[in-house]
Amino acid sequence: RLIIEAIEPRFKNANERIVITTDRGSKLWFQGEEAGVSLLEIPKTVGGRYSVFSSVGVFPLAAVGVDIAKLMEGAQRARLDCLKEINNPALLSAAIIYHNYKKGCAIHDSFFFHPELESAGKWYRQLMAESLGEVKTINGKNVYIGITPTVSIGSTDLHSLAQLYLDGPRDKFTTFVTCAKSENIRIKKKSKFLNLVEGIDDKKASDVMSAILSGIKTAYQKNQLPFVEITLDSLASKDLGEFLQFKMFEIIFLGHLMEVNAFDQPGVESYKTETRRILTDA
């Protein structure tokens, strides 16, 4: 309502600029029909966190210029790989995470060495938290189970979190995410503020970031901290689509290993119920 109130005074025919994505038959759907705005239906069989390749995710991505055809091509490629009986990358990743979870690593940190991927990390955080945080197993056993997902951004968060990660509790498993191709911004030999850091003259910024990543991985190895590394070919739509689909399969397999339903989130409704009560009673 606040967004619509902000749009209407600024644009003539504001309704032509509004697209509502919602469940068919919801209150918002019917009011959208009455207002004459465009409507996109949320597929009933697709949970919100798995909906990135449905109208929920595809339309806004297209609106900001993402190549949707390439995004879907990458997702389809990952789907083929992640349904294999052997050499299945998502199953292997899930098995590694589960193995370390059973050894006490109840925190999973996705450490992205590309700030552009922070929102993808937050999407995965929701995917893991909502899919694996469960009171009961699929067999009805009370377990209060789950893996706590966190997101770190390199190199920024090394300054604030590396001390905890390296010397703190051994309760974390890390997935480093990087990219094979990066911008070729070079640090010139002749510029201001020379000789502050040795070894960076005439290096590409990506080379410096790569050295930082190698440094933290070596520190993890020396401290015997568990981690894996995922390297994307690029940050292009095709590679992002492949990564997102791979991660969804990984969570599905993890849910199977942990014996929980990775497609429901009953606990979410409890706070919504309380919120509605508080607003109604106020």
Side-chain angles (χ1 to χ4, degrees):
R1 287 167 61 177
L2 290 172
I3 291 171
I4 291 173
E5 288 171 7
I7 289 175
E8 287 181 335
R10 295 182 60 191
F11 302 104
K12 294 181 179 179
N13 303 320
N15 283 0
E16 296 179 3
R17 295 174 173 266
I18 298 170
V19 179
I20 292 175
T21 307
T22 185
D23 296 310
R24 180 180 290 273
S26 68
K27 290 182 180 180
L28 183 56
W29 181 277
F30 288 130
Q31 291 191 23
E33 284 185 326
E34 292 176 5
V37 304
S38 298
L39 296 164
L40 288 174
E41 181 180 356
I42 299 174
K44 292 186 182 301
T45 56
V46 180
R49 59 191 178 277
Y50 292 99
S51 64
V52 65
F53 297 119
S54 74
S55 58
V56 178
V58 170
F59 173 73
L61 288 172
V64 297
V66 173
D67 189 332
I68 298 304
K70 289 294 185 182
L71 185 82
M72 302 302 280
E73 182 182 342
Q76 290 166 356
R77 183 171 62 183
R79 184 180 64 186
L80 293 174
D81 287 340
C82 296
L83 289 174
K84 292 178 179 177
E85 292 187 7
I86 58 174
N87 297 326
N88 183 323
L91 181 56
L92 175 61
S93 182
I96 293 172
I97 294 172
Y98 180 70
H99 170 73
N100 283 278
Y101 166 74
K102 296 295 287 185
K103 291 176 64 177
C105 294
I107 298 172
H108 179 272
D109 185 55
S110 297
F111 212 136
F112 290 87
F113 272 73
H114 276 277
E116 304 95 318
L117 294 176
E118 182 173 2
S119 58
K122 291 181 176 178
W123 164 82
Y124 178 73
R125 182 177 66 183
Q126 177 188 359
L127 182 67
M128 174 174 274
E130 282 196 350
S131 300
L132 304 181
E134 299 285 352
V135 174
K136 297 179 180 292
T137 67
I138 54 176
N139 298 318
K141 180 181 178 182
N142 286 336
V143 286
Y144 295 96
I145 202 171
I147 299 174
T148 301
T150 58
V151 182
S152 300
I153 303 300
S155 64
T156 306
D157 287 334
L158 288 176
H159 299 284
S160 56
L161 295 167
Q163 174 63 35
L164 173 66
Y165 291 169
L166 293 172
D167 288 353
R170 301 303 176 98
D171 56 358
K172 288 170 282 292
F173 178 79
T174 301
T175 297
F176 292 108
V177 182
T178 186
C179 180
K181 297 179 183 178
S182 188
E183 295 292 332
N184 292 321
I185 301 172
R186 193 171 292 277
I187 301 169
K188 297 178 182 179
K189 288 184 177 180
K190 295 182 179 180
S191 64
K192 295 182 179 179
F193 306 109
L194 297 173
N195 304 318
L196 294 176
V197 180
E198 294 183 3
I200 65 171
D201 288 350
D202 205 33
K203 293 275 198 323
K204 292 185 292 186
S206 58
D207 294 332
V208 176
M209 185 66 80
S210 179
I212 294 171
L213 175 61
S214 296
I216 189 62
K217 287 192 297 182
T218 300
Y220 268 56
Q221 289 171 337
K222 289 183 176 180
N223 283 273
Q224 297 183 334
L225 298 172
F227 71 90
V228 295
E229 182 178 3
I230 296 174
T231 303
L232 307 182
D233 288 338
S234 72
L235 295 179
S237 298
K238 184 177 180 180
D239 297 306
L240 291 176
E242 186 173 9
F243 175 76
L244 295 173
Q245 184 69 88
F246 156 75
K247 281 295 183 179
M248 282 191 274
F249 272 102
E250 175 195 88
I251 291 297
I252 292 168
F253 291 136
L254 259 173
H256 181 75
L257 290 170
M258 296 171 70
E259 299 183 333
V260 297
N261 183 352
F263 300 100
D264 68 351
Q265 61 277 352
V268 174
E269 293 304 318
S270 61
Y271 87 84
K272 293 181 179 179
T273 300
E274 293 301 320
T275 300
R276 294 187 190 100
R277 181 187 60 77
I278 292 167
L279 290 172
T280 302
D281 293 344

